[in-house]
Amino acid sequence: MPASNPPVTTLWVHSFTGIARANTVINNIDAGTIDAALKARLKGEALFLRGYFYFNLVKSFGGVPLFDKSPTPTEAPNVTRASIAQTYAFIEKDWKQAATLLPEKSAYAAADLGRATKGAANAYLARAIMYQLGTVNGNNHTWQEVYDLTSTVITSNQYSLLPNYAAIHQEIGENSSESLFEIQFASSNDTYGPISVGTTNNIFQNNRKTFGYGFNNPTQNLVDEFEPNDPRLEATVIKDGDVVLGVLNTIDRTENETGYLNRKAAIIRPNAPESGPQNIRKMRYADVLLMKAEAAAQLNKNSEAIALVNQVRQRARTSTRPPGTTVGTLTYAPANTPPGTLPDLASGLAGQALLNAIWHERRVEFGEESLRLWDLIRTGRYLNTLPADVRARALSHAATETSVNPFPLLPISLNDAQSWKLPQNPGY
């Protein structure tokens, strides 16, 4: 992959654009004359977003330049890369401060639903610590911290599992009781570019036979992970001949790698196909429950871990089918799930077997939600999923800092690497 790869460069550039905008707010809002409570909330939102952008950067590129204000023209040539641990410490400081400034979800008016909350800041802090525990843990984190942060979110009584799994990624499930953070989108007639309030997420993943490009094909390996009759499978993948949102879907294997498409990104064709209105779910309450379950298992609180996983399994087994499984309808048909489907985890489960059960639950619960890669990396399973030649290439790009598990880094944007005189990542 060249260091000028467009999607990688876009991730780098847009993340730093977001950081610069957040810094404008963080460094100027205290001098404003607006209501003090609103001022605190907006500063909290900007801190949350700065941490969010840096989190995306550190996962992809490793340690990066840390900006708490815009560099002057004389400072710009002397920018240096922080370490991975230093970058995570910067992120944690932002999210901890955000958690003190932001309101709980229930304090927002309906029109403001979707803004960052105290719960989102704490949940992301737990996720960042969990990722460090399995990679570069230069900040000496513990599973107790993950346990405590997720407990704080749970005992806030702000969130609950949406009763029907099949509704989570539908319009009715946007900003639901389960949502801690999701990126907000809306319908418009605009296509590409800054003016659009919609997303291209859907057109990239929808079936070529409806209105999409057909990218991101779920694997047979994912399909095989689901237990028999798990209603989540039909809500996660589309196979040839499935009726989705009332439309019969044909999958042409000459233009599809696996025979499957992402059901969670399937929407009815919007006015402008490149401007989908579907919010992208980034942090769900089910993730908080399963993060706490994993922390509990690591702390030998096995019965507590099992009970948390069983909450997620119980919701799944009572789900309906996804909407519109009959041509011309958008109704939620019953799944008619047989008794005994998704049984509770056995009460005596412990050790590696319990961790395996939690990791399995994460995979089928969050299929197609962009969490799998880092779940594999932080648990030391990633490299073993790769063919030998791909594994060798991944290792040639691995972060060089002391790490519990090795993980590859993307190339830094060539233009910024040169103009900021930043050392490039290994192997590029």
Side-chain angles (χ1 to χ4, degrees):
M1 180 189 295
S4 55
N5 179 280
V8 174
T9 297
T10 298
L11 173 61
W12 175 272
V13 171
H14 285 196
S15 296
F16 278 109
T17 300
I19 289 162
R21 290 171 177 170
N23 280 336
T24 298
V25 175
I26 293 163
N27 291 308
N28 293 288
I29 197 165
D30 287 345
T33 56
I34 60 174
D35 172 75
L38 177 60
K39 186 186 293 187
R41 192 200 84 196
L42 292 173
K43 188 172 185 178
E45 288 183 66
L47 285 160
F48 174 84
L49 289 171
R50 186 169 72 180
Y52 178 85
F53 293 128
Y54 268 120
F55 188 43
N56 287 336
L57 286 169
V58 74
K59 288 186 297 175
S60 301
F61 302 99
V64 293
L66 300 177
F67 299 112
D68 55 12
K69 59 180 177 55
S70 297
T72 65
T74 53
E75 291 170 335
N78 301 311
V79 166
T80 57
R81 289 186 70 176
S83 69
I84 290 174
Q86 288 168 337
T87 304
Y88 268 117
F90 188 94
I91 293 164
E92 291 169 36
K93 184 170 176 286
D94 276 356
W95 283 341
K96 285 175 181 174
Q97 189 179 356
T100 67
L101 293 170
L102 288 169
E104 295 282 17
K105 185 178 180 179
S106 61
Y108 277 115
D112 282 323
L113 272 184
R115 292 182 180 274
T117 61
K118 190 182 301 293
N122 282 322
Y124 264 96
L125 191 54
R127 181 182 283 178
I129 290 171
M130 191 168 74
Y131 285 7
Q132 290 172 80
L133 284 166
T135 56
V136 176
N137 191 20
N139 295 310
N140 298 312
H141 286 299
T142 65
W143 279 104
Q144 186 66 48
E145 293 172 87
V146 179
Y147 182 89
D148 292 344
L149 284 162
T150 49
S151 297
T152 296
V153 175
I154 291 168
T155 57
S156 72
N157 296 316
Q158 296 289 309
Y159 308 99
S160 61
L161 294 174
L162 194 64
N164 188 7
Y165 185 89
I168 292 171
H169 287 86
Q170 307 307 310
E171 186 177 355
I172 197 173
E174 293 193 342
N175 302 312
S176 74
S177 66
E178 182 157 352
S179 173
L180 276 82
F181 189 62
E182 55 192 70
I183 304 173
Q184 309 290 307
F185 294 103
S187 298
S188 78
N189 293 317
D190 301 303
T191 54
Y192 291 104
I195 195 172
S196 176
V197 295
T199 174
T200 59
N201 188 54
N202 304 101
I203 191 170
F204 273 94
Q205 297 182 75
N206 265 262
N207 196 342
R208 283 177 178 263
K209 300 294 187 250
T210 56
F211 74 94
Y213 302 153
F215 298 144
N216 184 26
N217 303 151
T219 63
Q220 186 65 47
N221 187 275
L222 169 63
V223 171
D224 293 342
E225 183 82 14
F226 286 83
E227 294 163 60
N229 303 307
D230 186 340
R232 290 175 292 193
L233 175 59
E234 191 179 20
T236 302
V237 303
I238 300 167
K239 65 181 186 303
D240 185 46
D242 281 354
V243 179
V244 179
L245 298 169
V247 177
L248 177 65
N249 272 246
T250 302
I251 296 180
D252 183 347
R253 286 305 301 273
T254 67
E255 56 189 31
N256 183 291
E257 185 71 23
T258 65
Y260 299 106
L261 291 161
N262 178 6
R263 175 64 183 79
K264 291 177 178 176
I267 61 170
I268 295 170
R269 183 186 181 111
N271 292 337
E274 305 87 1
S275 182
Q278 183 190 44
N279 291 358
I280 299 176
R281 281 61 164 170
K282 301 301 291 186
M283 179 69 76
R284 296 202 275 116
Y285 185 61
D287 199 354
V288 176
L289 294 177
L290 292 179
M291 282 195 286
K292 184 176 180 181
E294 192 166 342
Q298 295 281 0
L299 296 169
N300 295 313
K301 300 175 187 285
N302 296 336
S303 59
E304 190 173 0
I306 289 165
L308 288 160
V309 177
N310 286 341
Q311 281 190 56
V312 176
R313 290 173 69 80
Q314 191 279 330
R315 187 269 299 272
R317 78 172 77 105
T318 59
S319 176
T320 68
R321 300 181 72 189
T325 48
T326 302
V327 172
T329 74
L330 289 173
T331 54
Y332 291 82
N336 298 319
T337 303
T341 299
L342 296 175
D344 282 352
L345 298 187
S347 59
L349 213 53
Q352 190 60 50
L354 176 55
L355 287 174
N356 289 344
I358 294 167
W359 297 343
H360 159 77
E361 204 62 38
R362 289 188 64 84
R363 190 176 188 196
V364 293
E365 175 70 21
F366 306 123
E368 300 299 299
E369 295 184 43
S370 302
L371 292 174
R372 168 75 170 162
L373 172 64
W374 267 83
D375 275 349
L376 288 172
I377 287 171
R378 69 180 179 81
T379 56
R381 297 173 292 157
Y382 171 63
L383 292 173
N384 288 335
T385 67
L386 304 175
D389 59 327
V390 180
R391 186 184 311 126
R393 288 200 298 273
L395 285 170
S396 74
H397 301 305
T400 56
E401 294 171 48
T402 302
S403 186
V404 180
N405 294 296
F407 62 101
L409 300 174
L410 295 175
I412 292 175
S413 169
L414 189 61
N415 182 63
D416 283 355
Q418 291 175 341
S419 60
W420 290 355
K421 300 183 178 65
L422 299 179
Q424 184 54 273
N425 279 329
Y428 297 108

